[in-house]
Amino acid sequence: MGLVQTIIVVFGVIGVAYAAAHFKLLDERVGDGLSEFVFMIAAPLLLFRTMVTADFHGTAPWGLWIAYFTGLALAWALSDLAIKVIFKRDNRAGVVAGVSGAFSNLVFLGMPLMLSVYGQDGFAILSLIVAVHMPSVMAASITLHEIALRRDGVFEGETRLGTVVASFFKSLLRNPFVLGILAGWLWRFTGLQLPVVVDSLVQLLGSVAGPVALFAMGMGLKKFGTSGQLAPSLVIAGIKLFVMPAIVLAVALLIGLTPFTAKIAVVSAALPAGVNSYLIATKFRTAEALASNSMVIATALSAVTVVFWASVAVHLFG
């Protein structure tokens, strides 16, 4: 199956799930349950097995991280600036805009997409981004939100930052993705092979992460929907879908990233924001509509834009 056809199938699953939720063929609690299964079991096991079995030689993790996170940082800064300068929102909304314009949906959309288009080798490279992506974005969002609180005049006490940071690290160490990645690296360092029965069990449960994640995502889009504030949401979605991958592409070319790794970096950067951007907005109790709208709009548009960036990457990197 060709690149375009594969991407169409991937987004087709999302569309089927959205239709199932829209026409009430399935209760929205089904989508919540599927999301929980992917988050707690299937995806962590897939990440664990990838850390244990993947061949990371030649993937240039530092170059990959430099290219990807340069794009993330600049897209974040531009989104923050756009919301505050063009739409006159406060600093806290700027933080949410930054997350929405830079935090790619690497798990629920990225994992199945990479497995379908680039296979296990592509997923292995993606997992190197995932290992750094979520902790760094969460840490940055918490820190910037605390700074924004002070700038907006809603400072809530001298110990707030320390308390929030401590809470962040506690929740990070309970995150199933982080635990799956850490457990995989620890097992890899032992040099031991996974027992055949264990490997088969992990592989079986992990193998369903892709399609189940796509279906859960489609049902989730129906639940979140859009409501007002479409102009700023379109701007943020545009930065996420066009500016961030363009920056990652430019940096990859500049530093001479290996072709296959560069393709994964560019396509990963071209993914829309996921539900984490909305969850961050609700946690901070600001700009929830902006986060929800930009996520839904970007996801819908990405059915076309991901094909565009994947095609550009193939043209430039082979």
Side-chain angles (χ1 to χ4, degrees):
M1 189 183 299
L3 171 65
V4 174
Q5 291 90 336
T6 302
I7 293 176
I8 289 173
V9 168
V10 167
F11 281 93
V13 174
I14 297 174
V16 169
Y18 183 90
H22 179 76
F23 293 109
K24 302 187 184 304
L25 300 178
L26 295 172
D27 190 277
E28 70 174 29
R29 289 175 297 179
V30 174
D32 294 337
L34 292 175
S35 296
E36 193 75 4
F37 169 71
V38 172
F39 182 78
M40 295 297 298
I41 297 176
L45 287 177
L46 182 58
L47 288 167
F48 168 78
R49 189 173 186 275
T50 300
M51 295 301 109
V52 173
T53 62
D55 179 8
F56 294 111
H57 297 300
T59 56
W62 287 109
L64 170 67
W65 291 334
I66 289 170
Y68 186 85
F69 287 99
T70 298
L72 185 152
L74 293 178
W76 186 312
L78 185 58
S79 299
D80 179 286
L81 190 64
I83 287 301
K84 291 189 295 189
V85 173
I86 300 174
F87 299 102
K88 310 302 181 184
R89 299 292 298 274
D90 62 18
N91 290 290
R92 289 169 293 168
V95 175
V96 173
V99 175
S100 299
F103 197 176
S104 294
N105 188 351
L106 296 182
V107 175
F108 281 87
L109 180 55
M111 284 173 34
L113 182 67
M114 294 302 171
L115 286 168
S116 299
V117 177
Y118 300 106
Q120 193 62 44
D121 290 340
F123 179 79
I125 296 173
L126 175 70
S127 67
L128 292 174
I129 301 176
V130 172
V132 181
H133 184 248
M134 191 273 292
S136 62
V137 171
M138 292 299 295
S141 65
I142 289 171
T143 302
L144 292 173
H145 182 253
E146 293 303 313
I147 295 172
L149 283 173
R150 288 159 172 78
R151 288 180 176 175
D152 292 339
V154 286
F155 176 51
E156 298 181 10
E158 291 294 338
T159 60
R160 177 181 171 84
L161 179 57
T163 302
V164 172
V165 170
S167 175
F168 160 71
F169 281 108
K170 288 179 182 178
S171 63
L172 184 64
L173 293 175
R174 292 195 297 266
N175 185 283
F177 296 157
V178 175
L179 292 176
I181 291 168
L182 289 177
W185 279 114
L186 288 173
W187 189 280
R188 187 184 184 96
F189 288 145
T190 67
L192 299 173
Q193 295 290 322
L194 283 173
V196 175
V197 173
V198 173
D199 185 48
S200 298
L201 176 62
V202 171
Q203 186 175 13
L204 179 63
L205 289 171
S207 66
V208 303
V212 174
L214 290 173
F215 204 89
M217 182 182 172
M219 293 195 70
L221 289 177
K222 175 62 178 66
K223 179 171 68 174
F224 290 112
T226 58
S227 57
Q229 301 188 34
L230 294 182
S233 300
L234 282 168
V235 170
I236 299 305
I239 292 171
K240 182 68 199 74
L241 299 179
F242 292 102
V243 176
M244 183 173 168
I247 295 171
V248 173
L249 175 62
V251 176
L253 290 169
L254 182 64
I255 67 176
L257 201 59
T258 56
F260 188 68
T261 302
K263 287 193 287 188
I264 301 303
V266 171
V267 175
S268 297
L271 295 172
V275 70
N276 277 328
S277 59
Y278 177 76
L279 295 178
I280 288 171
T282 57
K283 180 179 178 63
F284 294 160
R285 297 192 297 276
T286 186
E288 292 95 333
L290 173 65
S292 176
N293 290 348
S294 59
M295 175 188 69
V296 174
I297 291 169
T299 301
L301 295 176
S302 67
V304 175
T305 58
V306 167
V307 173
F308 168 75
W309 285 111
S311 299
V312 170
V314 168
H315 177 71
L316 292 175
F317 300 110

